[in-house]
Amino acid sequence: MYVSAEIIAIVISAAGVVLMLGAALFAGFAWIVRRMDAMELRLCERMDAGDEKLGARIDSGDQKLGARIDSVEEKLSARIDSVEEKLSARIESVEEKLSARIDSVEEKLSARIDSVEEKLSARIDALADEVTGVKIAIARLEGPPRHLVSAHH
């Protein structure tokens, strides 16, 4: 089979065009990949810089707030201790006063109870004597017990 020079030129031209288009596509993709890598590096650098700034700001805020919280904690602890001491002293004072008052009331009531007990004991003894006297009087009134059978008939 015989191939003319024109057909060979067309085939070689088509192969050249295909190779050229392939090389152009490859170069275009390589260029896009390079740009994307460069953009990624710039974005990473920006993010790292922003991260460092935010980290420093957060650390500074954390230190300031920590110091402020510690200061407030110390003030409140001192205030609570002061209030606790005052209230403890006040409670002890009230306890002493109430204990003295309770002791006084206990003594008064004990004396009063003893007095009432003595009076009631005397009244009960007197009443027992009276009951004995009443029993004797009733026995005299009733006289000797009557016998059921009488000898005088």
Side-chain angles (χ1 to χ4, degrees):
M1 166 172 183
Y2 174 70
V3 180
S4 70
E6 295 161 346
I7 291 182
I8 291 176
I10 290 174
V11 169
I12 290 176
S13 293
V17 168
V18 168
L19 283 173
M20 189 100 127
L21 284 175
L25 281 173
F26 179 75
F29 280 127
W31 178 76
I32 287 174
V33 167
R34 242 184 303 137
R35 278 199 65 166
M36 289 179 73
D37 285 344
M39 188 180 293
E40 179 191 8
L41 287 174
R42 283 193 312 247
L43 285 175
C44 285
E45 288 172 0
R46 267 180 87 185
M47 286 175 39
D48 289 342
D51 186 37
E52 289 175 10
K53 287 180 184 177
L54 285 176
R57 235 175 125 182
I58 288 172
D59 290 342
S60 171
D62 185 36
Q63 289 174 353
K64 288 178 184 176
L65 287 176
R68 190 171 174 192
I69 288 171
D70 291 342
S71 170
V72 168
E73 182 182 8
E74 289 174 9
K75 288 178 185 176
L76 289 178
S77 292
R79 190 171 172 192
I80 288 170
D81 291 342
S82 170
V83 168
E84 184 179 13
E85 288 173 9
K86 288 178 185 176
L87 289 178
S88 293
R90 192 169 170 193
I91 287 171
E92 288 173 5
S93 170
V94 168
E95 184 179 11
E96 289 174 8
K97 288 178 185 176
L98 290 177
S99 292
R101 192 169 169 193
I102 289 171
D103 291 342
S104 170
V105 169
E106 182 182 15
E107 289 174 12
K108 289 178 185 177
L109 289 177
S110 293
R112 192 169 172 191
I113 288 171
D114 291 342
S115 169
V116 169
E117 183 181 10
E118 289 173 8
K119 288 178 185 177
L120 288 177
S121 292
R123 284 180 73 183
I124 289 172
D125 291 342
L127 191 60
D129 290 341
E130 286 181 29
V131 168
T132 304
V134 168
K135 284 181 183 177
I136 292 172
I138 290 173
R140 284 186 187 151
L141 287 175
E142 288 180 355
R146 296 191 178 171
H147 298 288
L148 294 176
V149 179
S150 122
H152 295 290
H153 240 48

